[in-house]
Amino acid sequence: PLRVLGITPNCDPFHAHPKCLKIAWDDRCFQLQLARESLLLQLITELLNDLDPDIIVSRFGDDWILPYLSNLARRRRVHLPLSRDPKLQVTRHSGGVHFTYGQVVRRGPQSLLHGRLHIDARNTLSIGDVALEGVIETARVGGLSVQTAARTSPGATLTSMKMITYLRRGIMVPNFKQQTEDEKDILTLTHSDKGGLIFTPIAGLHSNVVEVDFTSMFPWIARRYNISPETIHHAHLQDRDPRRYAPASAKRSLTEQFQPWGPVGQAEQERSFIVVEAGMLANGSDADQPGLDLESLQGSRFAQNPPGMLAETLTPLLEKRMHYKRAVAEMDADDPRYGLFKNRLGAHKDIGVVAYGRTKFRKETDGKVEVHESITDFARKSMVLAKMTAESLGYRFLHGYVDALYLQKPDAASDAEVQELLDAIIRVTGLPIVLEGRYKWMAFMPSKRKPRLPVANRFFGIDESGDFKIRGLASRRKDTPAWIAQCESQILQVLRQAPGVEDLQNCVPRAVSLLRKQIEALRAGRIPVPDLVLTKKLTKAPEEYRTRTDSVRAARQLIEAGKQARIADHVRFVYVRGAERVYAWDLPEPLDPRRIDSARYQELAIRSAHMILQMLAVTEDDLKRWLGAKNGLPQQKSLFPRPQGF
């Protein structure tokens, strides 16, 4: 077992100067005062020598704790054994700013140890989602050191994996990108330069919803069709039609069922350039042969020999991911391996996602935009095939989002019917797909500005186990104050207690009552001020903004106080009354709670509650009227009629 030592300051060093360090290992925890410098160095030295931790997990360790301790030891002329090797000190790397997937990200400075590992939980891109086990798994599959894997993006891990493949094959890679985009006419560019397929959902409240999800869709497409920069001009990728690459026994049904795209000729059906033989129907029988299994995908082989570099790089990762996914599905949640395998799966998912995006990255030396376009083309057509397959089996299509489909049957679909659906989609697309969830009800939200127009990424529902699936609500946003998220969570908990869809309207009075109590507590000053803090990211330097938004106002307050506010920094602030409207949370002077703008927070709370209750025909004006009523909310059910379409 690895010996892990935790160390963190008692507060955010950017907000205020810490007064002590919190030290923890096993079930022990104590604090060391920073004011007593000699005793602090002595105790940390004894702790490192006696405990000899393998891993030091910290918060603010890269940019504050380790630099502070190193400078203090140097000033006191004391040897501090942070690294096991006494000849090596802490290695420092500077941070920087980079852009990824339309976002600007600041990577803080790094403090690396020798002989033991140091991981800063705040300066890693994935440890919050996949924990330490996921970080170690990322290092394992990427051939990186654990300290490096924890601080780099999944894209850097993928690049390392490809470098290993190149070295194994003895292929030289140019130091700078030399491949350019192929010349295209305007019609070809319009057709190919697209992303994943996103449908417009059917807005409203729906019961008995089934969600099916393609597993690692884009990486599996790259592997199945052997899509790689050096294979992109092969003949089999010029006519991208998934019907032609389906398992042989399924081709007859494809020709019969999916005529909207045109018939597939017999000669084309017999062509042998199927890139990956999915092997779904081991008996070679008709397309309705049962017993399809995701496990058979692992036995698929490349008809092209050798496979492309991207496909060869992703194959071990995909096979390992399928192994863990099958193992997790077969074990109970209380199995001691369950959390470990889930964290490893999370690490695999991140790498698989960027495998698709990096093909279009301008700095990727082996990247080629045609690879990106080819993968998305197959993905869009596979989603359409999956939708048509589901509808042919009697399902109502509610929503489709890149690699997930939300379907409904008038009566709840049985396990056998869901398995029949999965088998049929696998036969048609040759891609692995699994049941992601079964929901008692799910609500797809309309746009706030255009109520007749649904929003693709804003929906929520409750599954059979009572857990919520939430997308696009305030509690999912990182800039939402904790108090707003708490109000939203309480309303969702009220809806959870409804036995069925027809009982949801009866939950409105109690939800409004809870919201009223929260607002009364806010007005009375009983809500802790830290729970009202908003967090916004600066997408450019504060002086480059033309409009004085709330985050820019807070950033300029920090600069005037002598603190930093740079591009990609997260600025925290509180709404207050007065001309400035906001107060930067990290200013030296503490905030007077009497300055809190309770009316502004009440507006945010009502807006968040309306986002949920609008599916029951509750408007913002209704909420404001009920919250201001002296006698409370009337209990008549007739006050909440369900509108057409809900």
Side-chain angles (χ1 to χ4, degrees):
L2 295 175
R3 296 184 296 274
V4 180
L5 176 68
I7 180 171
T8 179
N10 68 311
C11 67
D12 184 349
F14 185 73
H15 179 68
H17 186 73
K19 296 182 179 180
C20 61
L21 292 178
K22 298 180 180 180
I23 310 294
W25 77 93
D26 295 334
D27 56 348
R28 306 177 184 178
C29 181
F30 61 92
Q31 296 184 0
L32 298 179
Q33 299 295 325
L34 298 182
R36 307 178 65 179
E37 297 179 349
S38 299
L39 181 59
L40 173 67
L41 292 175
Q42 178 184 350
L43 292 177
I44 291 181
T45 300
E46 294 178 357
L47 183 63
L48 293 174
N49 289 330
D50 296 341
L51 182 61
D52 191 21
D54 302 295
I55 303 177
I56 297 178
V57 179
S58 69
R59 292 183 62 84
F60 305 99
D62 278 338
D63 53 357
W64 192 82
I65 295 178
L66 263 61
Y68 173 81
L69 293 177
S70 298
N71 294 334
L72 180 60
R74 190 181 305 110
R75 180 161 52 87
R76 293 276 182 170
R77 297 183 179 181
V78 175
H79 172 68
L80 189 62
L82 293 172
S83 296
R84 277 182 172 146
D85 191 332
K87 298 181 181 180
L88 297 177
Q89 302 298 321
V90 178
T91 299
R92 297 274 296 167
H93 295 299
S94 60
V97 176
H98 65 278
F99 294 86
T100 174
Y101 290 95
Q103 295 184 353
V104 56
V105 179
R106 175 173 294 279
R107 184 178 300 160
Q110 304 176 18
S111 299
L112 309 182
L113 303 181
H114 303 273
R116 63 169 56 99
L117 306 178
H118 170 234
I119 297 178
D120 186 342
R122 290 188 70 259
N123 199 29
T124 61
L125 299 179
S126 59
I127 192 171
D129 299 324
V130 299
L132 184 59
E133 296 90 346
V135 172
I136 295 176
E137 179 69 10
T138 300
R140 180 181 292 116
V141 299
L144 302 169
S145 69
V146 176
Q147 294 184 104
T148 301
R151 292 168 172 84
T152 56
S153 66
T157 305
L158 177 69
T159 300
S160 178
M161 294 169 60
K162 291 196 291 187
M163 292 301 107
I164 294 173
T165 304
Y166 292 139
L167 289 172
R168 185 183 298 115
R169 281 199 183 182
I171 296 177
M172 297 182 67
V173 182
N175 191 31
F176 300 99
K177 186 178 180 67
Q178 298 182 4
Q179 298 184 99
T180 58
E181 183 175 357
D182 295 342
E183 187 174 321
K184 302 181 181 71
D185 58 62
I186 187 62
L187 292 179
T188 303
L189 181 63
T190 303
H191 174 75
S192 60
D193 190 16
K194 300 177 180 178
L197 182 59
I198 300 177
F199 291 85
T200 300
I202 300 177
L205 186 61
H206 308 279
S207 59
N208 301 324
V209 178
V210 173
E211 178 189 4
V212 294
D213 187 81
F214 284 100
T215 302
S216 302
M217 186 183 198
F218 292 149
W220 268 110
I221 288 177
R223 174 187 172 176
R224 184 175 194 273
Y225 300 107
N226 199 20
I227 305 175
S228 193
E230 72 278 10
T231 65
I232 194 62
H233 294 296
H234 288 185
H236 72 279
L237 291 178
Q238 301 310 304
D239 184 12
R240 300 189 285 260
D241 190 341
R243 299 173 298 172
R244 298 184 177 180
Y245 307 102
S249 55
K251 289 180 181 176
R252 185 178 63 191
S253 63
L254 290 178
T255 307
E256 296 172 352
Q257 296 182 28
F258 302 109
Q259 293 298 328
W261 283 359
V264 181
Q266 182 66 25
E268 293 174 329
Q269 292 182 22
E270 296 175 356
R271 294 173 68 179
S272 58
F273 58 69
I274 297 177
V275 182
V276 174
E277 186 175 345
M280 294 298 168
L281 305 174
N283 299 328
S285 57
D286 291 340
D288 58 356
Q289 171 70 27
L292 302 186
D293 192 341
L294 291 180
E295 186 175 344
S296 59
L297 282 169
Q298 297 202 104
S300 58
R301 60 180 175 82
F302 288 100
Q304 303 261 343
N305 191 21
M309 298 301 302
L310 180 60
E312 181 178 338
T313 300
L314 293 176
T315 295
L317 178 70
L318 292 173
E319 292 180 347
K320 194 171 188 180
R321 177 169 172 77
M322 294 301 296
H323 166 76
Y324 282 121
K325 204 169 187 67
R326 185 175 64 253
V328 168
E330 295 174 353
M331 67 176 55
D332 297 330
D334 56 354
D335 191 299
R337 300 168 298 170
Y338 186 82
L340 171 64
F341 286 6
K342 290 283 285 186
N343 288 332
R344 290 179 178 176
L345 273 173
H348 298 161
K349 180 179 180 179
D350 294 339
I351 300 173
V353 169
V354 300
Y356 152 75
R358 297 281 289 199
T359 58
K360 198 176 181 179
F361 184 40
R362 61 184 178 85
K363 293 185 179 180
E364 194 76 359
T365 56
D366 61 342
K368 196 166 179 63
V369 68
E370 284 74 20
V371 175
H372 186 278
E373 294 171 349
S374 183
I375 292 175
T376 54
D377 197 359
F378 276 115
R380 293 191 299 270
K381 293 174 180 177
S382 297
M383 280 288 288
V384 173
L385 284 173
K387 173 182 180 292
M388 299 170 71
T389 302
E391 290 175 335
S392 69
L393 294 176
Y395 288 87
R396 183 191 183 200
F397 182 80
L398 299 177
H399 188 27
Y401 198 91
V402 182
D403 61 353
L405 293 88
Y406 297 87
L407 310 167
Q408 180 192 43
K409 267 198 169 184
D411 299 325
S414 64
D415 293 340
E417 290 176 326
V418 173
Q419 188 59 49
E420 179 187 8
L421 169 68
L422 298 177
D423 294 346
I425 294 177
I426 293 176
R427 277 194 297 266
V428 170
T429 64
L431 300 175
I433 189 169
V434 296
L435 174 64
E436 187 69 18
R438 301 172 65 116
Y439 302 95
K440 298 178 181 179
W441 53 264
M442 180 163 284
F444 296 99
M445 299 288 98
S447 171
K448 181 176 178 63
R449 295 184 178 180
K450 299 180 180 179
R452 291 181 176 270
L453 182 65
V455 180
N457 60 346
R458 187 180 300 157
F459 54 90
F460 66 97
I462 186 169
D463 61 20
E464 294 179 337
S465 62
D467 295 329
F468 274 99
K469 182 181 184 70
I470 300 174
R471 293 291 184 272
L473 297 186
S475 58
R476 292 275 299 181
R477 297 174 56 90
K478 296 181 180 179
D479 59 352
T480 301
W483 177 69
I484 300 294
Q486 180 183 357
C487 293
E488 186 175 279
S489 177
Q490 289 183 355
I491 295 176
L492 290 174
Q493 294 302 322
V494 171
L495 299 181
R496 178 190 300 215
Q497 299 173 10
V501 178
E502 61 280 358
D503 302 303
L504 285 173
Q505 290 181 334
N506 298 330
C507 298
V508 176
R510 186 178 175 192
V512 176
S513 176
L514 287 174
L515 181 61
R516 179 188 290 111
K517 292 180 180 179
Q518 288 287 349
I519 292 178
E520 290 175 352
L522 172 70
R523 292 173 175 174
R526 296 196 300 268
I527 303 299
V529 177
D531 290 347
L532 302 176
V533 175
L534 294 89
T535 305
K536 300 285 187 180
K537 180 188 289 188
L538 297 176
T539 56
K540 49 188 176 182
E543 61 273 10
E544 296 179 1
Y545 283 91
R546 295 182 179 180
T547 305
R548 287 177 61 88
T549 62
D550 294 334
S551 57
V552 173
R553 293 172 185 269
R556 292 182 177 179
Q557 291 176 8
L558 292 174
I559 294 175
E560 292 174 0
K563 292 195 173 185
Q564 289 183 334
R566 306 159 296 176
I567 180 174
D569 280 348
H570 288 85
V571 178
R572 300 182 293 181
F573 59 89
V574 178
Y575 287 122
V576 295
R577 294 187 298 271
E580 282 297 320
R581 297 170 45 188
V582 300
Y583 187 88
W585 179 245
D586 294 310
L587 288 175
E589 300 82 8
L591 172 64
D592 185 357
R594 293 174 296 181
R595 294 183 58 192
I596 297 294
D597 188 353
S598 57
R600 184 71 179 274
Y601 284 101
Q602 176 179 330
E603 179 183 350
L604 294 178
I606 293 176
R607 188 183 306 169
S608 175
H610 170 255
M611 192 69 65
I612 300 174
L613 298 178
Q614 63 179 325
M615 67 176 183
L616 301 174
V618 176
T619 66
E620 284 195 37
D621 292 336
D622 291 334
L623 287 176
K624 293 177 182 178
R625 185 175 70 254
W626 294 334
L627 291 172
K630 297 181 180 180
N631 298 327
L633 175 65
Q635 300 295 320
Q636 289 86 351
K637 188 175 181 180
S638 59
L639 288 178
F640 316 109
R642 179 179 294 184
Q644 186 69 23
F646 275 73

